[in-house]
Amino acid sequence: MAALQIRLLGDPALRRKAQPVTAVDDEIRRLMDDLLETMYAADGVGLAAPQVGVSGRVFVVDLRDPAVPPFGLVNPVVLEQSQETDRGEEGCLSIPGLREIVERPARVVVEGLDREGLPRRIEADGLLARVLQHEIDHLDGVLFIDRVSPLKRQMLLKRWRKLKVES
Ligand code: NI
């Protein structure tokens, strides 16, 4: 396994729609392992392939919750989402230092392939529902700052520019 470099806001790789994975093979399993290692090194709860510059519909999640063992998902689709929404704070390893409240459907049903290439269906609420939606957004080139009001987004981008100058 190897920790990879995480692409930061401004990198075009984050804005591309990722390509579907054609086969869950050893290469994809290695990518999942690398994503997990990269995510742990950065102390995150989720990481998607575009964040390490790979155009593939793959992400990994580890909520550090014994009830939800770490997992990777390939070619995920949202089958159902609740009308009811939930507001919760989000951050992103590609936009370190920024956090904001994001409103999303409270519950989702997501289906994809696991690391063996077998179908996996996940019915989620709470933090898991939020993280799943955040990671699937990454596969479509969407970031959490796109899901807040234009005014909040402007403030976040201003803070981001300031953080970049200071670092
Ligand atoms: Ni993110």
Side-chain angles (χ1 to χ4, degrees), residues 7-11 14-15 94-95 143 145 157 160 164:
R7 306 297 181 92
L8 299 180
L9 180 63
D11 190 314
L14 292 174
R15 292 309 198 169
S94 292
I95 323 176
L143 303 172
I145 57 170
L157 290 173
W160 175 249
K164 289 239 301 197

Side-chain angles (χ1 to χ4, degrees), residues 29-48:
R29 281 184 279 274
R30 194 178 324 124
L31 172 61
M32 283 182 170
D33 291 341
D34 289 347
L35 284 170
L36 277 172
E37 186 173 333
T38 308
M39 182 187 81
Y40 291 135
D43 203 25
V45 294
L47 191 65

Side-chain angles (χ1 to χ4, degrees), residues 78-98:
V78 177
L79 296 179
E80 293 169 36
Q81 54 183 37
S82 63
Q83 291 293 315
E84 186 197 341
T85 59
D86 211 0
R87 291 161 60 79
E89 198 180 53
E90 293 187 24
C92 181
L93 294 180
S94 292
I95 323 176
L98 296 193

Side-chain angles (χ1 to χ4, degrees), residues 3-157:
L4 306 171
Q5 197 192 336
I6 296 178
R7 306 297 181 92
L8 299 180
L9 180 63
D11 190 314
L14 292 174
R15 292 309 198 169
R16 285 186 208 115
K17 199 171 158 71
Q19 295 296 313
V21 170
T22 51
V24 183
D25 52 15
D26 286 345
E27 192 187 335
I28 293 298
R29 281 184 279 274
R30 194 178 324 124
L31 172 61
M32 283 182 170
D33 291 341
D34 289 347
L35 284 170
L36 277 172
E37 186 173 333
T38 308
M39 182 187 81
Y40 291 135
D43 203 25
V45 294
L47 191 65
Q51 293 182 271
V52 296
V54 176
S55 180
R57 301 188 76 80
V58 181
F59 65 76
V60 295
V61 167
D62 186 352
L63 303 182
R64 318 297 202 278
D65 175 352
V68 187
F71 66 93
L73 210 58
V74 175
N75 296 344
V77 287
V78 177
L79 296 179
E80 293 169 36
Q81 54 183 37
S82 63
Q83 291 293 315
E84 186 197 341
T85 59
D86 211 0
R87 291 161 60 79
E89 198 180 53
E90 293 187 24
C92 181
L93 294 180
S94 292
I95 323 176
L98 296 193
R99 301 187 70 79
E100 190 51 77
I101 301 286
V102 181
E103 184 170 10
R104 296 185 185 271
R107 289 177 304 282
V108 288
V109 179
V110 170
E111 196 170 66
L113 300 173
D114 69 10
R115 62 180 289 129
E116 306 307 326
L118 299 171
R120 175 151 185 213
R121 184 188 167 97
I122 304 171
E123 298 184 19
D125 59 9
L127 179 62
L128 182 57
R130 179 167 299 282
V131 172
L132 285 170
Q133 293 174 82
H134 178 117
E135 298 311 325
I136 291 171
D137 270 355
H138 273 301
L139 306 183
D140 294 322
V142 174
L143 303 172
F144 81 89
I145 57 170
D146 305 330
R147 299 223 178 260
V148 301
S149 71
L151 183 67
K152 283 232 173 90
R153 186 163 189 266
Q154 257 183 6
M155 282 167 46
L156 287 168
L157 290 173

